[in-house]
Amino acid sequence: MGLLGALIDKLNSLPGIGPRTAQRLAYHLLHMPDPQLEALLKTIWDAHQNLRECPVCRNLTDQELCPMCAGDQRDRTVICVVEEPKDVTVLERSGEFGGLYHVLHGRLSPLNGVGPDELRIKELLARVTPEVREVILATNATTESEATALYVAKLLKPLGVLVTRLGCGLPSGGELEYADEYTLKMALEGRTKL
């Protein structure tokens, strides 16, 4: 296989990177000036070593609390539940949501050994205090994600909080990270009660 083949193979193992993209990235990396490549490698290593879950919302941060939990400009009466940290980034890019987030770090997937105990559901339930008036379930539009949303909604109902789901705009089988800002805006505005 050789070093070039091994590099392409490792890049190809990343999510969303196919063989041709892996090959283009490999050649690009090999032609980068040493200082740029060293800076890229250092940034990757530093992120890997220093990013951890925010103790409140479970988003990734390198601080004691993530900026959203630490700041006082957010609406603390609304919590938007997402599957992965990347979903927070996507929703923030839309500029339409000003509340807090909660990251589950996955979705229910019994066939893959992911049950409720592997997700950050208990931490979410602990955050739903009388101050919280709404929990928005912003999971993806896949079968497993829908099952996760229904499971979480069932646990939230006895707490007396309004539970809503993202509405129109997201296609069935789609994922948040591929939605544009307008689609996310429509999904947030058209959310429905569960």
Side-chain angles (χ1 to χ4, degrees):
M1 175 184 278
L3 287 175
L4 179 59
L7 176 59
I8 292 170
D9 188 53
K10 292 296 181 193
L11 291 170
N12 189 36
S13 71
L14 297 171
I17 304 293
R20 290 190 348 206
T21 301
Q23 186 177 35
R24 281 194 301 274
L25 286 171
Y27 283 112
H28 179 78
L29 291 170
L30 292 172
H31 287 101
M32 285 179 83
D34 287 350
Q36 282 182 336
L37 183 59
E38 287 173 11
L40 174 62
L41 294 172
K42 182 181 180 330
T43 302
I44 292 170
W45 181 254
D46 288 347
H48 179 66
Q49 293 297 305
N50 297 307
L51 288 176
R52 61 191 183 317
E53 288 183 22
C54 171
V56 177
C57 71
R58 316 322 278 185
N59 195 10
L60 296 178
T61 184
D62 61 347
Q63 304 297 316
E64 186 175 326
L65 294 175
C66 76
M68 285 157 277
C69 290
D72 57 0
Q73 301 301 314
R74 309 294 294 203
D75 180 354
R76 298 189 174 281
T77 67
V78 181
I79 298 174
C80 183
V81 179
V82 297
E83 292 177 25
E84 300 291 346
K86 64 185 176 186
D87 300 331
V88 172
T89 304
V90 172
L91 283 165
E92 280 299 291
R93 225 181 20 234
S94 79
E96 293 297 319
F97 182 68
L100 299 176
Y101 291 95
H102 188 84
V103 182
L104 295 175
H105 287 274
R107 58 185 145 215
L108 294 175
S109 180
L111 295 176
N112 294 316
V114 181
D117 292 339
E118 283 71 45
L119 303 178
R120 307 306 186 274
I121 296 173
K122 286 183 255 177
E123 294 86 346
L124 169 64
L125 298 175
R127 291 183 65 194
V128 180
T129 62
E131 178 186 43
V132 176
R133 63 175 171 76
E134 180 181 6
V135 175
I136 303 168
L137 298 175
T139 57
N140 293 308
T142 64
T143 304
E144 290 175 337
S145 299
E146 289 291 330
T148 303
L150 291 172
Y151 179 81
V152 171
K154 181 180 172 186
L155 295 176
L156 289 169
K157 288 249 189 234
L159 301 178
V161 65
L162 173 64
V163 179
T164 60
R165 179 93 170 100
L166 288 185
C168 66
L170 293 176
S172 180
E175 300 215 4
L176 284 177
E177 72 177 303
Y178 300 113
D180 65 335
E181 288 79 8
Y182 179 75
T183 300
L184 285 169
K185 177 181 186 237
M186 296 306 295
L188 281 166
E189 289 178 356
R191 63 187 184 267
T192 58
K193 183 177 179 180
L194 290 179

